[in-house]
Amino acid sequence: MPPRTPPPARLLVAPWRWIAALMLGLWLTGCASLPSEVDRPVSTALADPTETRIGRAVQARAAQAETHNDSGFALVNSAELAFTSRMALINAAQKTLDIQYYAIHADETTLRMFDALRAAAARGVRIRILLDDFNTAGKNAQVLKLAFEKNIELRLFNPLPGGRGSLFFRILGSLKDMDRLQRRMHNKIFVADNAVAITGGRNLGETYFGQGESTNFIDADVLAAGRIVRELSRSFDLYWNNPLAYPVESLMTAAQLEALKPRPAAAAAASPAGQAAPVNGETSTSAGGHATGAAPDKPAKSAVRTVTALDGSVSVAEPLPDSTNLALLEWIWAPSTLLVDKASKIAADADEVEASQDTTVDGLLQLMAEAKSDLLIVSPYFVPGQRMMEQFAAIRQKNVRIRVLTNSLASNDAPAAHVGYARYRKDLLGLGIELYEMRAEQEGTLSGFSSLGSTGSAGGSRASLHAKIVVLDDSLLVIGSMNLDLRSQLQNSEVALVIRSRKLSADTTRLIEPALAKGAYKVELDNGQLVWRAPQGSQLKDSRTEPDASLGLKLMLTLIGPLAPDEML
């Protein structure tokens, strides 16, 4: 056999160049720090919502209902309504918009929302956007351009030092401060004129509004009006004025953001030196939000889709042009309260948070302990931990029925979280808790809770559960940003609405139960071994291993399962 030809010298050097670049990146991010002197003007929510059309409409609706309750609610029962209701609030706002999210993705769906925000700002609406910093790297860094628009302020909560070209390098450079890296602002609040708000599990992005090509999240929101909105606004103000909230301008310039604009390799090679090519042939957006470059070569995605629900019904969702359509929703006036973490939770020690037992999840667990007959729990990431398991055992001793809908290994967008859940699965079943795991592959566009959470995505897309809901004794509804896991309990900040309403509770249960019957595997014990019972009418077979999951995912479950601590999952 002839001797092999030695590889070119450049191929031998390339790996060392990559390693050198990695080491340089680590050194640079390790040296980065946050600014010590930050101009952070204090501002607060609109004092009198009745100065606005939305505020007056809420007052009129409450008077019409002849209710003694000071807060009204409407269930947001589809991905389309989730998008169009936010657009309606933007279009109707006259004074203020306060927007707080864990993640805002830069994609075609949010670009439509950004255009509406710019139009609102142009007509004099003050817009405050508070965003957790974790996902503001790479393509998503372009969201930060809104900070340089007139009448729009954007602050980043608990920012990581270093550049924004790559999330990987940002995480790598923050490993020396893992405790702070893990503590994220997970709240999700959207408030118009301090009169109407929308909150729940959704972040902002196409996968949350049924527009993703490969994956769509099944999620849930609720619209709120009246006194409870002012409580949400007070919570927003506390986070907005917190020392951990940094104005974008204190961290980077518009020119630095422009330099991060993605450039496809082929287009970049064809462009003159120093000029960024339009992405995918579409118009790019300057820091001022003005269109540049070529026209789009394909139509923008629309929030209007034909949706097939789990019960087989077909509906077409149309956009809501303004707030008048929100008045057509069924508003239910009911007693309510707000569960919300203090902004200081992000900066606190985990042991200190656990000892306080004063978090959103702790409050939810205290409510669940009062259950007398039935608990229906929807939690995409379900890692109970030992103390929560003891609480479940105490609830079951009262003969309370507990049903839990969570992700399967195949549908989970965070498989590591499934690792934590899997170690408790047999014990949960041993307590008599009924476990249902969402199917990743739904039939055609069959990918949501009846109309609630229907993604409206093209057939073949993957469904992933993301809603966070608890229904207690058919009379108390809790909906918010929290998962039933130790990350939500001890590390992230969260927010949830607690609404005492038999009507809303019953409506929500009716939307979820078809998913339990037709869109999820029921997990049971058979002679001490797990078995996944196939959904009714699915023509699938029962399974004794994680259904629909790849060999790689199953191997990860086996290898990582015994090692990873619950609070890290």
Side-chain angles (χ1 to χ4, degrees), residues 261-278:
K261 186 181 294 182
R263 300 177 65 199
S271 300
Q275 294 183 12

Side-chain angles (χ1 to χ4, degrees), residues 28 54 117 122 125 161 202 236 260 268 335-336 392 454 478 496 532 539 552:
L28 288 173
I54 303 178
L117 287 171
V125 177
R202 279 184 179 85
F236 179 95
L260 288 174
S336 60
F392 281 132
S454 296
V478 184
W532 285 259
Q539 298 183 336

Side-chain angles (χ1 to χ4, degrees), residues 270-539:
S271 300
Q275 294 183 12
V279 180
N280 296 329
E282 298 177 6
T283 54
S284 59
T285 305
S286 69
H290 304 296
T292 61
D297 60 2
K298 61 180 181 178
K301 295 177 185 177
S302 168
V304 180
R305 290 291 183 98
T306 298
V307 182
T308 304
L310 282 174
D311 59 9
S313 62
V314 178
S315 61
V316 178
E318 299 292 342
L320 297 173
D322 55 42
S323 64
T324 58
N325 292 74
L326 294 180
L328 300 178
L329 296 172
E330 182 180 10
W331 287 87
I332 296 171
W333 298 83
S336 60
T337 190
L338 182 68
L339 297 177
V340 63
D341 287 318
K342 299 175 182 176
S344 58
K345 177 183 178 183
I346 300 295
D349 178 81
D351 292 335
E352 177 185 334
V353 173
E354 186 171 20
S356 73
Q357 295 188 25
D358 187 27
T359 69
T360 297
V361 173
D362 286 320
L364 175 57
L365 292 173
Q366 291 168 23
L367 287 172
M368 289 165 52
E370 301 299 317
K372 294 178 174 58
S373 60
D374 187 87
L375 271 177
L376 176 57
I377 298 169
V378 179
S379 182
Y381 317 116
F382 184 51
V383 186
Q386 194 55 46
R387 186 158 64 89
M388 205 180 296
M389 286 294 293
E390 292 171 0
Q391 289 175 290
F392 281 132
I395 295 170
R396 282 292 298 143
Q397 284 180 353
K398 298 188 298 180
N399 204 29
V400 173
R401 183 189 189 191
I402 301 177
R403 292 175 291 171
V404 177
L405 175 63
T406 190
N407 273 309
S408 63
L409 178 59
S411 71
N412 205 319
D413 72 308
H418 192 85
V419 169
Y421 156 67
R423 66 174 59 137
Y424 291 99
R425 196 158 37 192
K426 286 187 177 181
D427 289 339
L428 289 163
L429 292 170
L431 290 174
I433 295 174
E434 301 170 43
L435 294 181
Y436 296 84
E437 296 183 5
M438 178 68 67
R439 287 180 58 201
E441 301 298 330
Q442 304 286 342
E443 298 174 4
T445 56
L446 222 62
S447 46
F449 308 131
S450 186
S451 60
L452 173 64
S454 296
T455 63
S457 58
S461 69
R462 174 174 168 266
S464 184
L465 184 66
H466 199 258
K468 305 94 165 54
I469 301 170
V470 173
V471 182
L472 187 151
D473 290 341
D474 300 319
S475 61
L476 195 73
L477 172 65
V478 184
I479 184 167
S481 68
M482 70 292 151
N483 299 294
L484 279 178
D485 64 2
L486 296 186
R487 179 173 293 279
S488 285
Q489 187 174 17
L490 302 179
Q491 298 183 44
N492 295 342
S493 68
E494 307 287 356
V495 62
L497 289 181
V498 182
I499 308 163
R500 185 168 294 281
S501 167
R502 288 194 174 276
K503 172 76 167 114
L504 272 178
S505 298
D507 288 348
T508 304
T509 300
R510 278 195 296 270
L511 291 167
I512 295 170
E513 284 185 333
L516 302 182
K518 300 180 182 179
Y521 290 92
K522 185 176 184 183
V523 188
E524 298 178 351
L525 283 175
D526 183 10
N527 293 322
Q529 298 301 311
L530 294 173
V531 58
W532 285 259
R533 302 296 183 192
Q536 299 172 11
S538 66
Q539 298 183 336

